[in-house]
Amino acid sequence: MRILSTWNSILLELYILWPCIMSMSFFNLPAQELKLENHVRVKRGWSWEPLHVTEEQEVKKPMYVGQLKTDSDGHDGAIRYVLFGDGAGTIFVMNEYSGKISVLKKLDREEKPFYTLRAQAINRFTGVPVEAESEFVIKVLDINDNEPKFNNEPYIADVSEMSSKGTYVTQVIATDKDDPTHGNNARLVYSILQGQPQFSIEIKSGIIRVDSQIDRETKAQYQVIVQVKDMIGDIGALSATTTVVINVLDVNDNAPKFQQKTYEMSIIESVTIGEIVGTILADDIDIGKNAEIIYSIEERGDYNMFNINTDSLTQEGIITLNKLVDFESRSRRYNIQVRAENKYNPELFDTATIRVYVVDVDEPPVFLEREYVMEILESSAVGSHVGSVTAKDPDDTDTIIRYSILKNKHYRLFDIHPSNGSIFTLKSLDREVDLWHNLTVTATEAKTPAYVSYVHVYIRVMDVNDNAPQFQSISDIYVCEKARLGQPVHTVTAIDKDEPNLSHPFSFTQPQDEYTNANFTITDNRDNTATILTAQDGYSSQDNLLFYLTVIISDNGTPSLSSTSTLTIKVCDCGIDNNTEFCGKGGFFFKFVNSGAIVGISIFILLVLVLALLVHVRCRKNQNRISEKGEDLKENIVTYDDEGGGEEDTEAFDITGLRQQTVMRERKPKRTIRTDIQSMYRLSLGLGPDVAIFKEFLSEKLEEANTDTSVLPLDYLHCYAFEGTGSPSGSLSSLSFTETNVSETDLYY
């Protein structure tokens, strides 16, 4: 290739310089000189070296390119060289004395690959041309200064799924502005950066082919990133990338699948032939014509009772009634088996069973399923969709169904869309609080609210790793004073409220700062337990009775959760057998209590008991004394509840106890009283009032009470506790009056 490139350059220069050669003085020689041409070698008038400039060179001052000169130049300054043509004076200059050519500025081969110039040699003194005008070329040499560019972007291609390896997909083409004849500057290679192993590319041509089997149902579109480099990918090569979008075309390779294996439908006995019983739908994950389905009823069961047709728009199977049904006279349930097969490939099919129930008129809506089981993650946000329930009205397919949730302990956590039966959350859920939520959903006819149907919805809360592991209940941990280095002390177990498949196994570690100076270490047993080991020989309860071990427990969830706990390890004298069971049964307590302390504590407890017994006996005696007085007082008060008979009544008991008690009387309305009667209450307490005055006072009050008709009469027994001592007036009670002294007013009351 390099030899061919050199010959091309020589031929190009000969082609350019051929007119100059033809116009040289060799062909204008006089006739006498032509006669000697077979005998004398004639020299060429002009001579020059190859002229070329490398592109993108920075030119701060004129840079030498080459030299033109004539054989007639005697180097005496008589010849003046003149430069004409493309770029003369602006890009190239020539020294008029030496014929040396220089370039003035940086050149770009991609803008202009060569410059055609002319030169002339003139006698400086006579102005006569010494040589004929000559034309020459200055070539701009290429460098790798242009990165390759992809043509015809963007690239979009199609390929059928299941295509075999090596199947042609498309071709990408890139070009480079650098000189393809000069080195490897424009020699390109292709590679794939993204899109393997499904596709590969030919390194020189850029043809993309299938390299492994592809499935449209797995991925319908690929974005393949292709890179191109010049200089055959050598060091210093320039590169470019492009994205090829490859669409995977569908192939009819999937069978239709029913959404349910068993469908339940219902019809009322009054429906006519041809009426729609229900619809079923089988899904085909292929697209376009490859997803077209034909439904049919297999010849088994009650196949002659119904027909099925395919809706070309929705691809549903519409089941219609073929014969009349009677709720009272025949079976109330019909079983048929339907088949959904691919329209263009009958070998691709699926089957389902349909149960048609005949119901009497005026029936409530019927749910499509007898019960619903739904699942939702406990981390789902409030308002997340849980699932849907669907009910149909067997009486009228156009009846609007309204859904609601019956109130129970879980109904406040969920709500349901009244029109479409979609269930969504109202509050955050926690699997560790409630794993299952049981709801009862009702479906009611909008036109006839009395017709209501019910269905149970069981919602399972799926676990997420949201609980950190914790230690299980830990008993007291003891270490013997004579324990050796590396000896097991205790085995601890961790638990996690999350499900085991999310959190197990646990890992047990110590903080780094405590691990280096630890008195104990912990070893992970890889079965959610860990063993505490001693980290030294021997322990002293006198120096340090308690040790603390910090343990970090981490689960295996995503993300991993951890908790930090501190274990307390007690040092114990385990005796000769070096057994910690002694510590657990009281050895730890008696470690601090010697025999003398036990005797002292026993004596103190005995003294406290004796003192409590003495206090109890003393209190019982005082209580008996008080009760005896209380019995006398209570007996007299209860027995004598009238006004009494004066001295005769007071002789039966000691009234001294009553005098020692202060009787608080209610405040009475102010009345006009006689001023000469002073402190009748004090007189009644035994101060010895004047008998005549006191008798007159009582008579006045009695008459006032008997004649007052505005209020109910009051028995003076309720107003006066007693009459006092030494009263000669006798009884003042109205009960002692005779019939002759009772007026009509008294009888009224």
Side-chain angles (χ1 to χ4, degrees):
M1 291 297 293
R2 293 185 177 179
I3 297 173
L4 181 59
S5 176
T6 304
W7 277 106
N8 288 335
S9 300
I10 294 172
L11 292 176
L12 178 62
E13 291 182 2
L14 290 176
Y15 173 76
I16 295 172
L17 297 176
W18 181 255
C20 300
I21 297 173
M22 295 299 293
S23 62
M24 290 181 65
S25 59
F26 175 80
F27 297 96
N28 298 323
L29 293 174
Q32 60 271 19
E33 292 180 0
L34 290 174
K35 295 178 182 179
L36 302 175
E37 64 180 345
N38 294 329
H39 306 282
V40 181
R41 182 180 178 184
V42 180
K43 294 183 179 180
R44 190 170 103 177
W46 287 96
S47 65
W48 60 77
E49 56 193 47
L51 303 176
H52 53 78
V53 179
T54 303
E55 67 171 333
E56 302 299 332
Q57 285 186 322
E58 294 292 339
V59 180
K60 297 182 179 179
K61 61 181 180 177
M63 185 174 62
Y64 176 77
V65 177
Q67 183 179 19
L68 272 70
K69 62 181 179 178
T70 177
D71 295 341
S72 303
D73 191 353
H75 303 287
D76 54 359
I79 302 299
R80 182 168 68 90
Y81 295 93
V82 181
L83 185 65
F84 304 95
D86 195 5
T90 58
I91 299 176
F92 301 95
V93 294
M94 176 182 281
N95 190 304
E96 63 178 356
Y97 294 100
S98 63
K100 293 182 178 180
I101 301 173
S102 301
V103 65
L104 299 177
K105 61 181 181 179
K106 181 171 64 174
L107 303 180
D108 187 357
R109 191 203 69 83
E110 285 69 41
E111 293 182 0
K112 194 172 182 64
F114 61 87
Y115 294 83
T116 303
L117 298 137
R118 302 187 308 277
Q120 190 175 29
I122 302 173
N123 189 300
R124 186 182 299 276
F125 303 107
T126 63
V128 178
V130 177
E131 298 287 348
E133 186 178 281
S134 176
E135 189 177 59
F136 62 96
V137 173
I138 299 178
K139 185 178 180 181
V140 181
L141 299 180
D142 184 43
I143 64 171
N144 188 26
D145 61 337
N146 289 279
E147 64 183 16
K149 300 288 185 182
F150 282 97
N151 304 331
N152 304 323
E153 289 184 294
Y155 290 96
I156 300 175
D158 298 329
V159 64
S160 298
E161 66 175 334
M162 312 303 292
S163 295
S164 59
K165 184 176 181 180
T167 301
Y168 174 86
V169 179
T170 187
Q171 182 179 16
V172 294
I173 299 175
T175 57
D176 195 325
K177 293 182 179 181
D178 292 325
D179 189 0
T181 64
H182 183 75
N184 297 324
N185 292 343
R187 296 185 63 184
L188 307 179
V189 291
Y190 299 90
S191 62
I192 289 181
L193 300 181
Q194 175 181 307
Q196 296 172 327
Q198 288 80 14
F199 302 94
S200 62
I201 191 170
E202 294 181 3
I203 188 170
K204 293 183 179 180
S205 64
I207 295 176
I208 299 175
R209 299 183 184 276
V210 176
D211 198 37
S212 63
Q213 192 176 59
I214 52 179
D215 186 6
R216 188 202 66 82
E217 285 72 34
T218 302
K219 190 171 184 179
Q221 188 183 79
Y222 292 86
Q223 293 186 347
V224 179
I225 298 178
V226 178
Q227 183 185 60
V228 61
K229 286 186 177 182
D230 57 17
M231 295 183 67
I232 325 178
D234 292 339
I235 298 176
L238 302 178
S239 64
T241 59
T242 188
T243 300
V244 181
V245 178
I246 300 177
N247 298 312
V248 182
L249 303 179
D250 185 55
V251 174
N252 191 11
D253 60 341
N254 291 281
K257 294 292 182 182
F258 281 104
Q259 296 177 349
Q260 302 171 211
K261 280 299 180 183
T262 302
Y263 291 84
E264 293 184 353
M265 303 178 183
S266 59
I267 58 174
I268 59 175
E269 59 179 337
S270 59
V271 297
T272 59
I273 295 175
E275 292 234 5
I276 297 176
V277 179
T279 60
I280 57 175
L281 179 64
D283 294 327
D284 193 332
I285 58 179
D286 294 325
I287 60 175
K289 292 185 177 181
N290 295 332
E292 294 183 8
I293 301 172
I294 296 178
Y295 296 90
S296 61
I297 298 178
E298 296 186 349
E299 295 184 359
R300 62 177 65 182
D302 303 306
Y303 70 94
N304 58 349
M305 293 294 299
F306 305 93
N307 291 327
I308 188 169
N309 299 308
T310 304
D311 190 324
S312 59
L313 295 178
T314 62
Q315 292 296 299
E316 292 179 320
I318 303 174
I319 302 173
T320 57
L321 186 65
N322 192 39
K323 293 182 180 181
L324 293 176
V325 294
D326 187 0
F327 179 83
E328 285 77 16
S329 63
R330 200 183 181 282
S331 175
R332 300 178 182 179
R333 188 184 73 180
Y334 297 91
N335 294 326
I336 59 174
Q337 185 165 337
V338 294
R339 175 188 176 100
E341 64 182 31
N342 189 277
K343 185 176 181 180
Y344 302 99
N345 189 355
E347 295 181 359
L348 301 175
F349 68 92
D350 192 18
T351 59
T353 301
I354 299 178
R355 298 173 182 171
V356 182
Y357 295 89
V358 180
V359 295
D360 200 2
V361 294
D362 296 333
E363 289 290 333
V366 176
F367 284 95
L368 296 184
E369 296 182 21
R370 294 185 177 180
E371 62 183 19
Y372 290 84
V373 179
M374 304 175 182
E375 295 180 345
I376 184 172
L377 290 173
E378 64 175 327
S379 60
S380 299
V382 175
S384 298
H385 180 262
V386 181
S388 299
V389 297
T390 304
K392 291 186 177 180
D393 181 19
D395 303 332
D396 185 3
T397 56
D398 295 329
T399 300
I400 298 176
I401 306 297
R402 299 296 184 190
Y403 301 91
S404 62
I405 298 177
L406 290 182
K407 293 183 178 181
N408 59 13
K409 67 176 183 178
H410 296 144
Y411 89 97
R412 296 184 181 274
L413 299 175
F414 303 91
D415 202 355
I416 189 170
H417 194 283
S419 299
N420 59 24
S422 297
I423 299 175
F424 54 91
T425 59
L426 289 178
K427 295 182 179 180
S428 299
L429 304 177
D430 190 352
R431 188 199 68 88
E432 287 70 40
V433 176
D434 284 315
L435 176 60
W436 288 92
H437 298 276
N438 303 330
L439 304 177
T440 302
V441 177
T442 64
T444 308
E445 295 180 13
K447 295 180 180 179
T448 312
Y451 296 136
V452 181
S453 60
Y454 304 86
V455 70
H456 294 292
V457 179
Y458 304 101
I459 301 174
R460 181 185 179 188
V461 181
M462 304 299 292
D463 190 27
V464 297
N465 188 33
D466 58 347
N467 290 279
Q470 302 288 340
F471 276 119
Q472 206 170 10
S473 57
I474 302 175
S475 58
D476 293 336
I477 302 175
Y478 300 98
V479 61
C480 295
E481 291 184 336
K482 299 178 181 180
R484 296 299 180 185
L485 175 64
Q487 179 178 339
V489 176
H490 191 79
T491 299
V492 293
T493 304
I495 59 174
D496 194 332
K497 294 181 180 180
D498 295 321
E499 292 183 351
N501 59 344
L502 292 179
S503 58
H504 289 185
F506 305 135
S507 60
F508 300 81
T509 57
Q510 292 178 251
Q512 189 63 32
D513 54 345
E514 294 189 13
Y515 180 80
T516 56
N517 299 319
N519 296 292
F520 298 87
T521 59
I522 190 163
T523 300
D524 192 351
N525 298 328
R526 304 296 181 182
D527 59 353
N528 300 330
T529 64
T531 302
I532 301 173
L533 302 176
T534 57
Q536 65 184 36
D537 285 329
Y539 299 84
S540 174
S541 60
Q542 302 296 329
D543 297 337
N544 196 349
L545 182 63
L546 300 176
F547 290 90
Y548 301 96
L549 177 63
T550 303
V551 181
I552 301 174
I553 315 173
S554 303
D555 61 18
N556 196 34
T558 304
S560 178
L561 300 179
S562 62
S563 64
T564 302
S565 301
T566 300
L567 301 176
T568 302
I569 303 174
K570 305 173 184 178
V571 180
C572 176
D573 183 5
C574 301
I576 301 175
D577 297 335
N578 205 28
N579 191 350
T580 57
E581 292 183 1
F582 172 79
C583 305
K585 294 181 179 179
F588 182 77
F589 172 76
F590 288 103
K591 185 75 179 178
F592 297 92
V593 182
N594 53 28
S595 58
I598 294 176
V599 173
I601 293 174
S602 301
I603 294 174
F604 175 77
I605 294 174
L606 182 62
L607 291 176
V608 171
L609 292 176
V610 172
L611 180 61
L613 181 61
L614 293 176
V615 172
H616 177 70
V617 172
R618 180 68 178 270
C619 291
R620 289 294 299 273
K621 291 182 178 180
N622 293 336
Q623 185 176 2
N624 292 335
R625 293 178 181 178
I626 295 173
S627 62
E628 291 177 358
K629 294 182 178 181
E631 288 178 0
D632 294 341
L633 181 61
K634 181 178 180 181
E635 181 180 358
N636 286 303
I637 292 175
V638 174
T639 302
Y640 300 95
D641 55 354
D642 55 3
E643 292 183 335
E647 295 181 47
E648 296 177 358
D649 290 340
T650 58
E651 291 177 358
F653 60 89
D654 187 3
I655 202 170
T656 306
L658 296 175
R659 295 176 180 174
Q660 295 177 355
Q661 299 181 10
T662 303
V663 180
M664 300 300 296
R665 298 175 180 266
E666 294 183 0
R667 189 173 182 180
K668 301 293 184 178
K670 186 176 181 181
R671 296 183 180 181
T672 303
I673 60 175
R674 294 180 56 173
T675 58
D676 55 348
I677 300 176
Q678 299 179 358
S679 186
M680 296 306 300
Y681 172 70
R682 293 173 58 208
L683 293 175
S684 66
L685 296 178
L687 297 180
D690 185 73
V691 175
I693 297 174
F694 190 74
K695 184 176 181 180
E696 183 180 357
F697 167 74
L698 294 179
S699 300
E700 183 178 340
K701 292 298 178 182
L702 180 60
E703 182 179 0
E704 180 182 350
N706 292 334
T707 59
D708 187 1
T709 60
S710 60
V711 296
L712 294 175
L714 300 176
D715 193 343
Y716 280 91
L717 174 64
H718 299 286
C719 298
Y720 306 101
F722 58 91
E723 295 179 344
T725 59
S727 174
S729 61
S731 176
L732 300 178
S733 174
S734 60
L735 299 178
S736 63
F737 286 1
T738 63
E739 293 182 1
T740 58
N741 295 330
V742 178
S743 63
E744 294 181 358
T745 305
D746 296 332
L747 292 175
Y748 177 115
Y749 287 101

